Amino acid sequence: MEERLLMKGNEAIGEAAIHAGCRYYFGYPITPQSELIAYMAKRLLKIKGATFIQAESEIAAINMVYGASAAGGRVMTSSSSPGISLKQEGISYLACAELPCVIVNIMRGGPGLGSIQPAQGDYFQATKGGGHGDYHLIVFAPSSVQELVDLTIRAFSLADKYRNPAMILGDGLLGQMMEPVQFKEFDEKNIPSKEDWALGSSHGRKPRRIVPFDLDPNELEKIVNKLGQKYQDMQKEVEYEVVNIDNPDIVIVAYGSIARIVKTTIQKAKQEGINIGLVRPITLYPFPYAAIEEVANKVDKFLVTEMSLGQMVEDVKLAVKGKSQVSFYGRTGGVVISPIEILQEVKKLLD
Amino acid sequence: MLDEIIIAGFGGQGILLMGRLIAHAGMLEGKHVAWMPSYGPEMRGGTANCTVIISSEEVASPVVPNPLSLIAMNLPSLDKFEPLVEKGGTIIVNQSLISRNIYRDDVEVVKVPANDIANELGNLRVANMVALGSYIAKSKSVKMQTVFEALEQTLGKGSEKIIELNKEALKRGEKIIIG
C-alpha cells in the first residue's frame, strides 16, 4: 500500500498535478488557493525543464497556459472566484483552439471581490461555459482531499483525451483542510503524444497554426459543430456517487464540501428515524441527468443544498422532469451550511 | 471511536500545530482524520482556531458545530466556544491565562496551567504542547508515543533539541491527568 501523507487540499492538488506529469504552471496568488501556487513554485523550480511563472495578472497567466498547451505541454493554472472571472476570455480561446489544460477554481464568496470564505456561487460560470461563445469545460467537483488528488490526475487525462480545458471546482473549505492522501503509481507513458497537432519545430513538416478564430462563417461553424460533437461524446464520462438510495424519505443532491456535510446530516437523521438519500455529482459537466431521473422515478421529494442562491438546482429540475418536487436550501456570502440546518430543512419538507 | 475537537487561542500560540499533531498521530494509527483551520484576516495577531476530527469511521462533515472536546488557550476562545461544546464533552482550559470559572455544569473541565509549566521548562512557546499533553492523556484519542512520532516527522531532522523540549512539555501536560 502507498504511504499515507497528511496534506492540505491546495498542496495536494499541486502534488497531484506534478505526479500526473504537469511541468508548466502559470498563476497569480489569491486567497484561499495561495498555498497551491506557492507549492508549485517550490516544487517545479527544482524539476529540470519545468517552468513556473508568477504572472503579472490572471489574464497574463491564462494566456501563458494557451502558449504552453499549444506547444504540447501538460499545463495548469489556478485561482479563486474573482481571479477565474478575469481568466474567462482566455478560457474561451483555449476551448475554441481545442487546447487541453487544467484550471483550478477554489471558490470563495461572491459576487464582486466578495469574501475569502468558502462558497459555491461559480457553478453557472463553470458548467455553462463562463466566457463567450459555445463551449463547455469538463468540470470535476471533488469532496475530499483524496478526491482532489484523484480528480486532478483524471482532469489532465480527460483534457488530453478531448483536447478541451478541464476544471477542478473546489472551495475554500477543501483547499484549506488537511486529510490523509495516497498517490497511486502514475506512468508518464500514459500521457498521449501531441506530436500530430502541437507546435514546435516545423523542420521536415508543414508549418502549423493554432488559433481561436476563423473569419469565414462557414469554416467557424465547422469548428463549433466539432466542439458540439465533442460535448456529446463527453457525456459518457459522467461520474456520481449515490448513498442510501433504497427507499429514502427524501433525496438530497449536493456536490463538493457540502456533500460531506450532508453525510453528517444523514447520520443524524437516521438517529431520529428519518431516511435521507444522497446523489453527489462528481462531474458537474457532464451532469448526471440520467442518474437523477432514475431516482426521481422512485422518490417524490428532492432537496438541493448549495452554498449559493441556487444554481445546480436548475440542472436537478431538468433531470427530474417534473416527476418529483424539488426544493432548495442555500447559504451565501461564505457562510458554510451546518448539518443541523439541513436536517431542519428536511423535517420542514417532510411535515 | 470518535473525537471532534476545537482548539482555539491567540495567533502565535501554536494552535494550528496542536491540531495538526493530533491529526497526524491519528493518521499514523490508521484512523480517519480531518483538520480544518480558521483562515482569514483575523489570523494576523488575532484569534486562531482549528477543528480536528479523529474517527474509526470515514469522516463526513469536516465542519463541527458542536465539538466533543474544546482546548481553550485564552479567554476570548473560551467565551466563544464554551456554549457550543456537546453535553457531556470535555473542556481543557489554559488556567494560566483564564481566571474565570466555567459556566457550563454539563461538561467535564480540566484546568491546565500551560503557560506556567512552559515557563518552568524555560520556553513559553511550548505552552501549547503542555495543553496538548493533557488532552491526549484525558481523551486517549491517540497514544502519546504516536504524538511523539508525529512531532518528529513534522519538525524533521535538525530540530532534535526543539523536539525534546516539546516532548518534555507533552509529558508534563500528561502528568496533570495521570499524576
Side-chain angles (χ1 to χ4, degrees):
Chain A
M1 199 172 82
E2 294 89 359
E3 189 190 3
R4 291 211 303 168
L5 302 166
L6 189 64
M7 285 189 99
K8 209 171 195 185
N10 284 329
E11 298 186 334
I13 299 169
E15 188 55 38
I18 292 165
H19 191 71
C22 171
R23 293 293 177 269
Y24 307 94
Y25 176 94
F26 311 99
Y28 187 83
I30 180 171
T31 307
Q33 69 77 56
S34 293
E35 295 87 356
L36 174 48
I37 178 169
Y39 191 85
M40 294 310 271
K42 194 171 75 183
R43 287 280 276 113
L44 281 182
L45 292 174
K46 285 182 194 146
I47 299 174
K48 209 179 161 207
T51 298
F52 167 90
I53 294 176
Q54 179 178 324
E56 70 269 34
S57 71
E58 287 86 351
I59 297 168
I62 193 73
N63 286 295
M64 290 174 187
V65 169
Y66 186 107
S69 183
R74 267 210 163 171
V75 55
M76 181 167 89
T77 186
S78 63
S79 191
S80 176
S81 306
I84 295 291
S85 292
L86 282 167
K87 290 180 195 289
Q88 289 303 331
E89 180 198 46
I91 296 173
S92 172
Y93 280 36
L94 282 152
C96 184
E98 292 194 272
L99 289 172
C101 65
V102 172
I103 301 153
V104 180
N105 182 3
I106 300 298
M107 289 184 281
R108 60 187 239 180
L113 201 51
S115 83
I116 60 172
Q117 298 302 321
Q120 295 181 321
D122 305 350
Y123 177 90
F124 284 150
Q125 186 195 56
T127 58
K128 309 300 176 190
H132 59 282
D134 278 310
Y135 76 93
H136 284 284
L137 307 176
I138 306 161
V139 184
F140 291 96
S143 84
S144 66
V145 180
Q146 183 65 54
E147 269 194 357
L148 285 175
V149 168
D150 298 340
L151 296 178
T152 297
I153 295 167
R154 180 140 179 81
F156 275 105
S157 153
L158 287 192
D160 277 349
K161 181 175 174 187
Y162 291 98
R163 281 188 59 186
N164 199 75
M167 178 171 273
I168 300 291
L169 192 66
D171 62 55
L173 210 153
L174 282 168
Q176 294 296 321
M177 72 188 284
M178 276 182 139
E179 285 185 310
V181 288
Q182 286 174 307
F183 291 85
K184 292 185 195 85
E185 207 168 296
F186 179 84
D187 191 348
E188 293 205 8
K189 280 189 217 121
N190 293 336
I191 302 175
S193 164
K194 296 169 182 174
E195 272 174 24
D196 57 331
W197 61 264
L199 304 184
S201 165
S202 61
H203 190 72
R205 65 160 168 83
K206 265 187 163 168
R208 294 172 185 155
R209 57 171 208 161
I210 296 178
V211 293
F213 66 86
D214 200 310
L215 297 181
D216 178 342
N218 291 310
E219 290 305 311
L220 182 59
E221 188 179 42
K222 278 183 205 161
I223 294 173
V224 177
N225 284 344
K226 189 183 165 204
L227 296 183
Q229 184 57 50
K230 205 160 72 172
Y231 302 134
Q232 290 298 316
D233 296 344
M234 265 179 210
Q235 299 304 314
K236 64 173 179 285
E237 310 292 351
V238 72
E239 284 182 58
Y240 56 89
E241 179 194 11
V242 292
V243 178
N244 201 26
I245 216 72
D246 300 325
N247 206 24
D249 302 316
I250 187 168
V251 166
I252 297 180
V253 186
Y255 70 94
S257 53
I258 292 300
R260 294 277 295 265
I261 290 166
V262 169
K263 285 180 181 175
T264 295
T265 306
I266 293 173
Q267 292 165 4
K268 286 191 190 297
K270 215 169 254 174
Q271 293 163 8
E272 299 185 29
I274 303 168
N275 202 2
I276 303 175
L278 169 70
V279 179
R280 174 173 76 90
I282 296 172
T283 51
L284 296 179
Y285 191 92
F287 188 78
Y289 293 107
I292 291 172
E293 186 184 359
E294 207 188 305
V295 175
N297 289 331
K298 297 181 290 187
V299 183
D300 61 3
K301 280 196 174 82
F302 276 72
L303 172 65
V304 180
T305 55
E306 299 174 62
M307 287 190 285
S308 77
L309 285 175
Q311 300 191 10
M312 183 176 70
V313 62
E314 294 190 3
D315 280 321
V316 174
K317 281 180 179 166
L318 281 175
V320 163
K321 293 181 180 159
K323 290 174 187 170
S324 312
Q325 177 201 328
V326 179
S327 307
F328 175 76
Y329 182 76
R331 297 293 300 267
T332 65
V335 179
V336 177
I337 307 173
S338 88
I340 296 148
E341 267 178 280
I342 301 172
L343 183 56
Q344 281 164 352
E345 200 59 27
V346 165
K347 283 180 185 166
K348 255 191 255 168
L349 291 168
L350 291 179
D351 258 352
Chain B
M1 175 277 142
L2 171 72
D3 202 3
E4 299 173 328
I5 314 129
I6 288 182
I7 308 170
F10 291 123
Q13 274 184 314
I15 300 300
L16 301 186
L17 178 64
M18 293 165 78
R20 275 187 61 173
L21 287 176
I22 301 171
H24 195 144
M27 179 184 74
L28 292 177
E29 291 184 2
K31 298 183 167 98
H32 296 272
V33 297
W35 172 94
M36 181 69 207
S38 64
Y39 68 94
E42 80 277 6
M43 282 172 71
R44 311 213 184 278
T47 57
N49 72 75
C50 67
T51 304
V52 180
I53 302 165
I54 173 163
S55 174
S56 47
E57 311 280 315
E58 195 181 319
V59 178
S61 168
V63 179
V64 175
N66 303 103
L68 298 168
S69 304
L70 167 67
I71 308 177
M73 292 298 287
N74 67 3
L75 183 60
S77 303
L78 183 66
D79 290 344
K80 185 174 176 187
F81 292 108
E82 179 184 348
L84 302 180
V85 176
E86 195 75 57
K87 206 174 154 186
T90 304
I91 303 182
I92 310 262
V93 179
N94 181 5
Q95 201 180 9
S96 308
L97 296 184
I98 302 169
S99 50
R100 81 158 167 86
N101 282 322
I102 307 296
Y103 304 129
R104 297 275 298 267
D105 57 7
D106 56 353
V107 295
E108 212 174 329
V109 179
V110 178
K111 292 186 173 177
V112 182
N115 288 39
D116 299 315
I117 293 175
N119 271 332
E120 281 172 31
L121 292 169
N123 191 335
L124 184 59
R125 290 177 62 189
V126 295
N128 60 344
M129 292 299 126
V130 177
L132 181 61
S134 299
Y135 163 76
I136 301 290
K138 176 75 195 162
S139 71
K140 299 188 180 70
S141 56
V142 285
K143 294 188 188 74
M144 188 61 80
Q145 192 55 41
T146 327
V147 178
F148 289 171
E149 264 177 66
L151 190 64
E152 283 159 10
Q153 291 180 14
T154 303
L155 298 181
K157 282 209 171 78
S159 312
E160 284 78 8
K161 268 191 183 164
I162 299 168
I163 291 170
E164 277 317 304
L165 177 65
N166 277 282
K167 281 185 185 173
E168 194 52 44
L170 282 162
K171 283 183 206 159
R172 288 290 299 270
E174 183 182 37
K175 217 176 143 198
I176 290 170
I177 305 295
I178 62 173

